[in-house]
C-alpha cells in the first residue's frame, strides 16, 4: 500500500516551454500533497504544500507564477513549470499524505521523482 | 520550527559490518514526530520509520533498529550486517505536531556506501 507515482520520470525540453508533472496516489486518498526540489547531492527543498481543492501554499522564495500547482482531486496533483529555463533543471519529487494526523496516515509517501532538463 | 543535523556526510563500510547513522534534532514542540527515509540511487524516497516523541521505546525491524533518546534529542539508525543493497542516502526528518502541519524538515542526509 501507499504507492505514489509520478509522470514523466524524466523530461528534456527547450528553454521557454512549459512542462507538466503529474503526481498520483494510487491506493489511498491524498488530502495533502507536497512538491520538493532536489539538486545533485543535496537535500530536499520543499517548494509547496497543496491541499485538495485549495490553493497551494508556497515556501518563501518559490515563484507562484512559475511553478503552478493544481490539486484538483484526492489522487492527483500537478506541477507545471512555466517558461522553463536551464536554471529550472532539477529533480522534482512529490509526496502524498492522507493527512488525517493519526496512526501512520500522516506519513508522507514519495513518488519516484521527475528529472527535468531544460536546454 | 524544526532543525535537524546529520553530521555524517558520507560513510563507507564493508559488507556485513554494522553501521550507525546519527541524527540530532532541535524542536520547541513537546510532541513531535520523527521519520527516516532511504533514497537509493534510483532517486525514490522510501519510508522507513515514523516515531512519536512520547514513545521512547527503541524499535527493531529486521536488520534495522532505531535508538530514540529524547533527553539528547537524537534518533539514531543502525543497520546490522550491512548489505550492498543498503547503499543509499538516508534522511532523518522531524515533523511538527500541529494540526494540519505535516511538513517535514529534512537533514542533509548521510550517504552510505556498502562495499562488497
Amino acid at each position: 500500500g501507499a504507492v505514489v507515482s509520478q509522470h514523466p520520470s524524466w523530461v528534456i525540453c527547450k528553454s521557454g516551454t512549459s512542462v507538466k508533472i503529474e503526481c498520483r496516489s494510487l491506493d489511498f486518498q491524498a488530502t495533502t500533497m507536497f512538491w520538493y526540489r532536489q539538486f545533485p547531492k543535496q537535500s530536499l527543498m520543499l517548494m509547496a504544500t497543496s491541499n485538495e481543492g485549495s490553493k497551494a501554499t508556497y515556501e518563501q522564495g518559490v515563484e507562484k507564477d512559475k511553478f503552478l500547482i493544481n490539486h484538483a482531486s484526492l489522487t492527483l496533483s500537478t506541477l507545471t513549470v512555466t517558461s522553463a529555463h536551464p536554471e529550472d533543471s532539477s529533480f522534482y519529487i512529490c509526496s502524498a499524505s492522507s493527512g488525517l494526523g493519526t496512526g501512520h496516515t500522516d506519513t508522507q509517501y514519495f513518488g519516484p521523482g521527475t528529472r527535468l532538463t531544460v536546454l | 520550527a524544526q532543525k535537524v543535523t546529520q553530521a555524517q556526510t558520507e560513510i563507507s563500510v564493508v559488507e556485513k559490518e554494522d553501521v550507525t547513522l546519527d541524527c540530532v534534532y532541535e524542536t520547541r514542540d513537546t510532541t513531535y514526530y520523527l521519520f527516516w527515509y532511504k533514497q537509493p540511487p534510483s532517486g525514490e524516497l522510501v519510508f522507513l520509520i515514523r516515531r512519536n516523541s512520547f514513545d521512547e521505546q527503541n524499535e527493531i525491524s529486521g536488520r534495522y533498529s532505531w535508538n530514540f533518546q529524547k533527553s539528547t534529542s537524537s534518533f539514531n539508525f543502525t543497520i546490522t550486517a550491512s548489505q550492498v543493497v543498503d547503499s543509499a542516502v538516508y534522511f532523518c526528518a522531524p515533523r511538527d505536531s500541529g494540526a494540519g502541519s505535516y511538513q517535514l524538515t529534512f537533514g542533509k542526509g548521510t550517504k552510505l556506501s556498502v562495499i562488497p
Side-chain angles (χ1 to χ4, degrees):
Chain A
V3 179
V4 178
S5 69
Q6 262 184 260
H7 179 79
S9 56
W10 60 270
V11 57
I12 301 173
C13 68
K14 292 183 179 179
S15 185
T17 61
S18 293
V19 175
K20 179 185 283 188
I21 302 170
E22 292 187 348
C23 177
R24 293 181 185 273
S25 57
L26 300 184
D27 53 359
F28 67 102
Q29 293 186 327
T31 306
T32 307
M33 286 185 168
F34 302 82
W35 287 96
Y36 296 84
R37 184 173 180 176
Q38 186 179 34
F39 291 103
K41 297 186 179 181
Q42 293 191 23
S43 188
L44 282 75
M45 181 191 78
L46 179 66
M47 299 175 65
T49 303
S50 74
N51 292 297
E52 185 265 338
S54 304
K55 288 185 178 180
T57 301
Y58 291 80
E59 295 300 300
Q60 192 172 7
V62 178
E63 298 177 60
K64 301 178 183 181
D65 295 332
K66 182 163 192 61
F67 299 100
L68 300 179
I69 292 172
N70 183 281
H71 190 169
S73 78
L74 285 172
T75 59
L76 173 64
S77 176
T78 60
L79 166 67
T80 301
V81 183
T82 61
S83 186
H85 288 92
E87 57 266 29
D88 299 324
S89 298
S90 191
F91 190 57
Y92 293 88
I93 311 174
C94 74
S95 70
S97 166
S98 62
L100 297 180
T102 59
H104 288 254
T105 56
D106 63 334
T107 297
Q108 289 186 35
Y109 295 96
F110 286 80
T114 297
R115 190 163 302 282
L116 170 64
T117 302
V118 185
L119 303 176
Chain B
Q2 313 280 358
K3 181 181 177 182
V4 58
T5 301
Q6 292 182 257
Q8 304 146 308
T9 305
E10 294 192 37
I11 301 176
S12 290
V13 298
V14 177
E15 199 171 20
K16 297 185 182 179
E17 287 184 349
D18 299 346
V19 59
T20 296
L21 309 182
D22 298 333
C23 173
V24 175
Y25 59 90
E26 294 179 26
T27 179
R28 287 174 291 185
D29 294 334
T30 53
T31 303
Y32 48 89
Y33 301 88
L34 299 163
F35 295 79
W36 274 93
Y37 287 88
K38 171 184 179 180
Q39 187 177 36
S42 61
E44 180 174 359
L45 270 83
V46 178
F47 165 70
L48 296 178
I49 190 170
R50 172 188 186 274
R51 169 51 56 89
N52 302 324
S53 59
F54 47 85
D55 179 2
E56 296 196 54
Q57 282 191 340
N58 291 326
E59 186 159 339
I60 298 174
S61 176
R63 295 184 297 109
Y64 296 168
S65 63
W66 288 268
N67 183 356
F68 177 43
Q69 297 288 335
K70 195 169 183 178
S71 60
T72 57
S73 298
S74 67
F75 188 39
N76 297 336
F77 172 35
T78 297
I79 301 175
T80 303
S82 60
Q83 300 176 2
V84 173
V85 293
D86 296 327
S87 297
V89 179
Y90 290 85
F91 292 97
C92 176
R95 199 214 87 188
D96 288 336
S97 64
S101 174
Y102 303 108
Q103 292 183 5
L104 297 172
T105 300
F106 281 90
K108 293 186 176 181
T110 296
K111 181 178 180 181
L112 173 64
S113 298
V114 181
I115 304 166

